[in-house]
């Protein structure tokens, strides 16, 4: 079986899977399994690719890492090194960013139900802007700003009425969504008027939208960009509102399996900008500064999870199961979204497959299946299975279900491995428990 080499993946002289110049089997000997491994060079390459495309187009822009994909001190520091901005959606993500010394002026605070405590925290740290999601938040934020005698930069999140080609659970741009103000039903215009009226508290710098996740074509992005730009032309005349910033979100697809055919990140950017420029130039309005929020497309393909093979169950005429020492506790996506993955045996990733197996997790749930039909060579207990493209929403959504400690995270680059999140211990699991 051959596999598509992502980033710095290679087969070394010993025939083992290598990432970032480091033998994955040596990583498991050093850190144990399960283990999340991140290819730092690939993350840097993706970040620089987005920025370079905007530079080539001559467009003023910000590329903000949508950190819900993977949040940790080290990944925030890496994004800061690459000159990216940061999208956070909770007090915990914000706190992590501050611990990482991320420049607060480049932090954007999202979320549909920000708490009073989170808003005060963000103001105390001096973040760059809030993305306002609903009328309740307008009133809440205004009252807090009046109380503090402060003014905040804000964007208004709109839902442009575009349904992206993705899983229903991660659609966010259509009218029926918990996020944002409807663009087509008058909610967005009402919100803009309300925020402009409270100009003593708000500096309304622009609009934000996000149409979904894991999107492989540009049609939805182009439609959303044109629909919002057309509205900006209208509001320029009726409200005197000129959007300095247009944040078009993220959702750019990545390759989980051979069936996935995502575009190059630069292609999404170029086609979106064609729509923005066309409307702006046709109506003699200024092109806003463009912000985007890649998350999965920065870190997804850079992540590989290493597991140790354990038990085997053969159901004659039906299926052969192989269990690994992780599962839905470190990757909930197959159970939550029916997500698909590719994997190989790390000791010999190019060995010809001899059977098709189902990769089961160790959690006490029938639905704890990582991969249903995976061609593999014959494997034995103790061998290492490498599951690809787990860099987004693996560690971020990991849990302690069945009281399983969360795995560690290791960065690899130029032949060097560095532990950036330690493995949880059993003691960690009970440290907040209280006795009767």
């Amino acid at each position: 079986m051959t596999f598509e080499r992502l980033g710095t993946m290679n087969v070394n002289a010993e025939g083992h899977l290598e990432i970032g110049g480091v033998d994955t089997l040596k990583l498991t000997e050093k850190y144990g399994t399960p283990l999340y491994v991140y290819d730092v060079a690939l993350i840097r390459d993706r970040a620089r690719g987005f920025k370079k495309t905007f530079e080539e187009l001559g467009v003023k822009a910000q590329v903000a890492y949508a950190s819900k994909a993977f949040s940790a001190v080290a990944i925030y520091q890496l994004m800061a090194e690459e000159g990216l901005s940061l999208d956070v959606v909770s007090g915990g993500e914000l706190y992590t960013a501050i611990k990482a010394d991320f420049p607060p002026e480049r932090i954007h605070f999202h979320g549909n139900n920000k708490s009073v405590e989170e808003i005060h925290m963000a103001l105390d740290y001096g973040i760059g802007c809030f993305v306002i999601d609903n009328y309740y938040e307008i009133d809440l934020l205004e009252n807090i700003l009046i109380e503090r005698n402060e003014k905040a930069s804000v964007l208004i999140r709109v839902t442009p009425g575009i349904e992206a080609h993705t899983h229903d659970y991660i659609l966010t741009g259509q009218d029926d969504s918990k996020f944002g103000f409807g663009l087509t039903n008058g909610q967005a215009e009402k919100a803009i008027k309300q925020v402009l009226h409270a100009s003593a508290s708000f500096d309304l710098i622009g609009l934000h939208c996000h149409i979904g996740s894991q999107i492989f074509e540009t049609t939805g992005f182009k439609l959303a960009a044109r629909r919002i730009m057309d509205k900006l032309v209208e509001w320029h005349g009726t409200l005197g509102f000129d959007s300095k910033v247009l944040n078009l979100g993220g959702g750019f697809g990545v390759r989980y399996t051979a069936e996935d055919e995502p575009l190059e990140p630069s292609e999404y950017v170029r086609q979106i900008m064609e729509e923005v420029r066309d409307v702006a130039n046709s109506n003699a309005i200024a092109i806003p500064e463009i912000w985007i929020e890649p998350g999965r497309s920065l870190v997804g393909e850079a992540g590989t999870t290493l597991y140790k093979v354990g038990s085997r169950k053969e159901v004659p005429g039906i299926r052969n199961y192989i269990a690994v020492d992780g599962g839905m506790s470190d990757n909930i996506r197959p159970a939550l979204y029916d997500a698909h993955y590719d994997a190989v045996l790390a000791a010999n990733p190019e060995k010809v497959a001899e059977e098709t197996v189902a990769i089961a997790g160790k959690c006490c749930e029938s639905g704890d299946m990582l991969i249903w039909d995976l061609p593999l060579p014959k494997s034995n207990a103790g061998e290492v299975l490498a599951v690809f493209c787990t860099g987004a929403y693996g560690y971020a959504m990991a849990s302690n279900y069945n009281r399983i400690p969360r795995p560690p995270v290791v960065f690899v680059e130029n032949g060097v491995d560095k532990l950036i999140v330690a493995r949880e211990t059993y003691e960690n699991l009970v440290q907040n428990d209280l006795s009767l």
Side-chain angles (χ1 to χ4, degrees), residues 4 99 133 141 154 248 277 297 300 302 324 336 346 384 418 425:
E4 182 176 343
K99 282 293 184 182
D133 204 273
L141 183 53
V154 299
L248 291 167
R277 275 188 163 146
S297 55
V324 295
L336 187 62
V384 175
K418 182 173 178 58
T425 65

Side-chain angles (χ1 to χ4, degrees), residues 28-211:
T28 62
E29 291 172 5
K30 184 174 182 179
Y31 300 106
T33 55
L35 176 67
Y36 298 110
V37 180
Y38 279 83
D39 183 349
V40 174
L42 179 54
I43 298 173
R44 293 190 192 278
D45 181 67
R46 290 289 166 82
R48 293 170 186 176
F50 278 116
K51 292 184 66 180
K52 182 181 178 182
T53 302
F54 282 115
E55 290 166 3
E56 290 174 347
L57 293 171
V59 176
K60 189 175 181 181
Q62 279 193 44
V63 179
Y65 171 53
S67 67
K68 65 177 182 172
F70 170 45
S71 175
V73 167
I75 193 67
Y76 287 167
Q77 291 172 333
L78 178 60
M79 295 304 177
E81 285 181 7
E82 294 301 324
L84 269 60
S85 297
L86 189 66
D87 158 12
V88 300
V89 298
S90 72
E93 289 183 355
L94 176 57
Y95 183 81
T96 305
I98 297 303
K99 282 293 184 182
D101 291 324
F102 198 94
E105 68 276 8
R106 299 212 309 265
I107 298 176
H108 314 151
F109 201 143
H110 289 250
N112 69 308
N113 192 27
K114 303 176 187 71
S115 69
V116 171
E117 293 77 16
E118 287 174 328
I119 291 171
H120 278 291
M121 181 181 177
L123 291 170
D124 289 343
Y125 287 139
I127 67 162
C129 71
F130 292 89
V131 180
I132 293 178
D133 204 273
N134 49 67
Y135 298 116
Y136 167 81
E137 186 182 342
I138 296 176
D139 293 334
L140 176 63
L141 183 53
E142 182 183 8
N143 289 336
I144 291 173
L145 290 167
I146 291 171
E147 172 192 325
R148 294 173 60 111
N149 193 29
E150 294 182 31
K151 188 171 184 174
S153 295
V154 299
L155 282 77
I156 289 176
R157 178 164 180 169
V158 302
T159 53
I162 304 298
E163 295 196 25
H165 291 251
T166 186
H167 194 290
D168 286 346
Y169 290 147
I170 46 179
L171 282 172
T172 55
Q174 75 278 23
D175 287 329
D176 185 7
S177 171
K178 77 172 189 177
F179 296 108
F181 301 91
L183 191 69
T184 59
N185 59 13
Q187 290 182 338
E189 181 169 324
K190 179 182 174 182
I192 291 171
K193 288 178 180 178
Q194 188 172 337
V195 171
L196 289 174
H197 182 72
S199 58
S201 299
F202 298 124
D203 178 14
L204 178 56
I205 61 173
L207 302 181
H208 172 279
C209 83
H210 179 70
I211 63 169

Side-chain angles (χ1 to χ4, degrees), residues 276-407:
V276 172
R277 275 188 163 146
D278 183 57
V279 176
N281 293 338
S282 298
N283 294 275
I285 65 169
I287 295 175
E289 180 174 330
I290 301 298
W291 295 3
I292 59 171
E293 295 167 344
R296 186 198 318 260
S297 55
L298 287 172
V299 299
E301 293 178 1
T304 300
T305 306
L306 303 177
Y307 299 99
K308 191 167 290 184
V309 172
S311 65
R312 180 184 183 98
K313 176 183 178 180
E314 298 185 359
V315 184
I318 299 179
R319 194 183 303 275
N320 292 337
Y321 291 87
I322 290 176
V324 295
D325 57 353
M328 65 189 298
S329 54
D330 59 75
N331 187 354
I332 191 67
R333 294 188 69 255
L336 187 62
Y337 298 134
D338 190 29
H340 294 180
Y341 289 88
D342 278 338
V344 298
L345 294 177
N348 194 343
E350 294 187 314
K351 188 175 181 181
V352 174
E354 300 167 285
E355 61 178 347
T356 297
V357 297
I359 305 300
K362 66 174 292 176
C363 293
C364 193
E365 291 285 337
S366 297
D368 182 21
M369 297 296 301
L370 289 174
I371 306 173
W372 277 105
D373 296 297
L374 177 67
L376 271 190
K378 289 285 186 180
S379 60
N380 299 308
E383 293 195 63
V384 175
L385 184 75
V387 178
F388 301 130
C389 202
T390 59
Y393 307 108
Y395 176 82
M397 300 178 79
S399 73
N400 294 127
Y401 184 55
N402 289 167
R403 283 271 154 147
I404 296 173
R406 281 174 288 198

